[in-house]
Amino acid sequence: MSTRSFLRDDDLTPAEQAEVLALAAKLKAEPFDHQPLAGPRTVAMIFDKPTLRTQASFAAGIAELGGHAMLVDGTLAGIGKRESVADVTRVLDRQAAQIVWRTYAQANLDDMAAHSSVPVINALTDDFHPCQLLADLLTIREHKGELAGLTAAFLGDGACNMGNSWLLAGTTAGMHIRISGPDGYVPSDEMFARAGEIGATTGGSASAVGDPLAAVAGADVVITDTWISMGKEDEASTRRAVFGPWSVTPDLVAAANPDAIVMHCLPAYRGVEIAAEVIDGPQSVVWDEAENRRHAQKAIMTWLHEKARA
């Protein structure tokens, strides 16, 4: 099908990403002036993984766009077990104007998009978290202005959806992305290669930096995420032992630019991957980041809706 979807960060070209971020800023400034989903049009939201910010921000955003958020319990639907992804998609795309899915396997999301006549949005998979990155970039844009040329350091478990998405979305924005984690906890060579291809067109770059202090040196943005992602709970003790030097402490932040901002997509574990005085301190923008999920997602939903109508 030819319908545009948003499945991974590099589904947007640099120009399209900039367009969506500008739209997000406009929708944030004028939250009730644009209602492309008036009717209301229904957006199906499917959640297979635990959620707070994703469900809250999508539901609120859909309402502000004049639409209706239809919650589909992924456990009850049994997608891929009780019914195939293709059959579920053929049902939902006749009921909804868009489908939002927070799930595990990227391949299942890709399968849904391949069978859908309406836009499909990745609300998180094991491989990518593109809606979070739109919110993160919107937040950086608000605090730092132009994104191109900024340096962002991602610390901790880089071999996760956030590490992958930062590589792709950051280089699409023309930023310099440094991923720093223990051996074996950085994105794949394939992800770095794709980020390098993108950066060659935007002036951005992607690199792995083993030393966390070197990674944050001169950085404009310092980012971390939980060390124990969903599905990795059985590795908790090992990970805490290995990741200690990558904890975002005041001393580590002090090695970044003096006006650096600190980000975390939440949930956060104070005293583990980030110190309480950092996440709750003056350089933290995590609450702006959490709010901006709504505005960024409103923008991608609006943009995809317009593309579907074109």
Side-chain angles (χ1 to χ4, degrees):
M1 307 247 179
S2 59
T3 302
R4 286 291 296 270
S5 289
F6 188 48
L7 309 179
R8 46 186 280 165
D9 305 83
D10 55 350
D11 281 343
L12 298 178
T13 67
E16 289 171 342
Q17 185 196 72
E19 182 181 348
V20 170
L21 291 174
L23 178 58
K26 180 179 179 65
L27 295 177
K28 184 173 183 176
E30 303 165 354
F32 307 110
D33 292 354
H34 307 273
Q35 298 202 321
L37 299 179
R41 305 292 299 277
T42 293
V43 176
M45 304 191 307
I46 311 168
F47 298 106
D48 297 333
K49 285 191 170 188
T51 181
L52 169 61
R53 281 153 297 281
T54 298
Q55 182 174 344
S57 57
F58 264 111
I62 291 163
E64 289 183 3
L65 293 176
H68 166 68
M70 176 175 68
L71 181 60
V72 177
D73 187 319
T75 303
L76 292 177
I79 304 172
K81 298 176 182 176
R82 179 170 174 266
E83 296 189 63
S84 69
V85 172
D87 284 357
V88 169
T89 305
R90 293 182 182 109
V91 171
L92 290 180
D93 73 358
R94 294 190 178 211
Q95 306 292 345
Q98 297 185 9
I99 304 171
V100 174
W101 195 8
R102 180 181 173 92
T103 190
Y104 295 88
Q106 181 73 24
N108 286 342
L109 190 82
D110 294 341
D111 191 15
M112 176 172 280
H115 289 91
S116 180
S117 62
V118 302
V120 175
I121 298 174
N122 181 352
L124 177 144
T125 63
D126 290 342
D127 290 345
F128 302 104
H129 201 354
C131 287
Q132 180 66 58
L133 261 290
L134 287 179
D136 289 358
L137 294 177
L138 176 62
T139 305
I140 297 168
R141 190 176 180 269
E142 290 174 340
H143 287 269
K144 295 291 184 182
E146 182 69 29
L147 295 173
L150 295 177
T151 296
F154 183 96
L155 303 175
D157 184 8
C160 68
N161 49 18
M162 284 297 290
N164 291 339
S165 280
W166 262 107
L167 284 182
L168 301 187
T171 53
T172 297
M175 298 175 66
H176 303 294
I177 308 303
R178 302 172 184 165
I179 306 289
S180 183
D183 289 344
Y185 293 98
V186 294
S188 66
D189 292 344
E190 178 187 1
M191 284 294 108
F192 275 107
R194 178 60 184 138
E197 291 173 359
I198 297 169
T201 71
T202 63
S205 66
S207 59
V209 182
D211 180 357
L213 280 172
V216 301
D220 303 291
V221 186
V222 177
I223 312 132
T224 193
D225 190 9
T226 177
W227 295 341
I228 307 160
S229 299
M230 290 173 279
K232 303 290 187 182
E233 290 82 2
D234 59 339
E235 302 175 20
S237 59
T238 300
R239 284 171 172 260
R240 287 183 177 174
V242 169
F243 282 108
W246 284 267
S247 182
V248 179
T249 62
D251 287 344
L252 196 64
V253 174
N257 279 344
D259 61 349
I261 57 175
V262 177
M263 309 186 82
H264 191 309
C265 67
L266 303 175
Y269 300 92
R270 289 166 174 79
V272 183
E273 76 274 4
I274 191 166
E277 55 266 49
V278 174
I279 193 171
D280 298 318
Q283 289 174 272
S284 170
V285 296
V286 298
W287 311 116
D288 294 344
E289 187 182 358
E291 177 192 339
N292 280 339
R293 287 289 299 277
R294 180 168 95 255
H295 310 302
Q297 289 159 185
K298 285 175 66 177
I300 194 63
M301 286 188 288
T302 299
W303 190 84
L304 290 171
H305 180 73
E306 292 172 351
K307 292 294 180 183
R309 297 177 61 192

